[in-house]
Amino acid sequence: MWLHSMIDHAQGDGTVVFQDGSSIKADVIMHCTGYLYDFPFLGDDSTITVDDNCVDPLYKHVFPIEVAPDLSFIGVPWKVIPFPLFELQSKWVAGILSGRIKLPSKDEMMEDVKAIYSRLETRGWPKRYTHNFSGGYQFEYDDWLAEQCGHPPIEEWRKLMYAANAKNKAARPERYRDEWDDDGLVALANEDFKKYF
């Protein structure tokens, strides 16, 4: 099994030609397309739309602005460390539903959503990257959620481990899960986990 760039075309003899011009004979082609957001249970008159895999408009990737706080989505962002993110989003939603945390006005929430779209446009990224948290934004977002909830920020070892994994993944895309050099970070994590036992 090999990881390759995007496919340009396949030929009748089983040769697959990639966009970079390289080619191989393939027995199987497995496309890993990720998740497609779909909420058919909300009905056609929902205030939520999904366009180019962007759930729109969501304040902080959680609350549909028109019905906030009555409806929330946990876990929409991708390219994240999922469980700490989901926990922080859940705590934030619980804080808002309990009245301990206040949402800004609908206009202020919409301005925040527009700022995200503006950043995407500036980078030349398509709308489907709205919920992509690669490039370090995830920790800025996590720490913002933590601050809102009165929770400590994401641990530094976790951020360093994520960065080390990204570097390893770029250097060894086919073997990064099997080969790594992060024993020092694992030791930091183990020390941190001792607080809970």
Side-chain angles (χ1 to χ4, degrees):
M1 183 167 60
W2 292 275
L3 176 68
H4 287 280
S5 63
M6 296 296 291
I7 295 173
D8 183 63
H9 66 277
Q11 298 173 342
D13 67 353
T15 299
V16 177
V17 180
F18 299 98
Q19 290 179 353
D20 66 3
S22 64
S23 64
I24 62 164
K25 285 267 195 178
D27 298 315
V28 174
I29 299 171
M30 182 184 310
H31 287 280
C32 299
T33 59
Y35 296 100
L36 298 177
Y37 302 110
D38 186 28
F39 308 105
F41 52 87
L42 293 177
D44 293 335
D45 61 346
S46 171
T47 60
I48 296 298
T49 61
V50 178
D51 178 31
D52 194 22
N53 217 32
C54 167
V55 184
D56 184 46
L58 288 183
Y59 174 63
K60 298 296 185 188
H61 306 274
V62 174
F63 286 106
I65 294 170
E66 286 303 313
V67 295
D70 297 332
L71 179 63
S72 58
F73 293 87
I74 303 297
V76 170
W78 50 282
K79 287 206 175 179
V80 296
I81 301 173
F83 300 112
L85 172 76
F86 301 166
E87 179 183 2
L88 288 169
Q89 285 182 324
S90 298
K91 286 180 177 187
W92 185 52
V93 169
I96 289 167
L97 293 175
S98 72
R100 288 182 293 111
I101 301 170
K102 301 289 183 218
L103 282 172
S105 71
K106 288 182 181 183
D107 288 341
E108 290 169 311
M109 288 190 282
M110 186 52 79
E111 285 304 313
D112 188 80
V113 170
K114 288 177 182 176
I116 291 169
Y117 295 155
S118 178
R119 278 196 307 270
L120 287 172
E121 191 175 314
T122 299
R123 293 176 180 157
W125 288 3
K127 200 170 187 178
R128 68 181 168 272
Y129 280 78
T130 300
H131 309 296
N132 175 347
F133 277 26
S134 64
Y137 174 64
Q138 130 172 249
F139 298 118
E140 179 184 324
Y141 176 79
D142 288 350
D143 290 346
W144 180 87
L145 286 170
E147 181 183 346
Q148 295 292 303
C149 299
H151 191 277
I154 294 293
E155 303 87 346
E156 194 60 29
W157 63 261
R158 212 179 281 268
K159 296 173 184 179
L160 294 170
M161 191 177 282
Y162 187 79
N165 181 56
K167 186 186 277 187
N168 189 31
K169 194 175 191 179
R172 298 182 273 226
E174 296 173 11
R175 301 182 319 275
Y176 75 94
R177 289 184 178 101
D178 303 317
E179 301 173 12
W180 57 88
D181 183 25
D182 61 359
D183 291 340
L185 295 172
V186 171
L188 288 174
N190 283 334
E191 283 302 310
D192 191 47
F193 290 147
K194 285 180 184 177
K195 294 187 295 193
Y196 304 103
F197 297 107

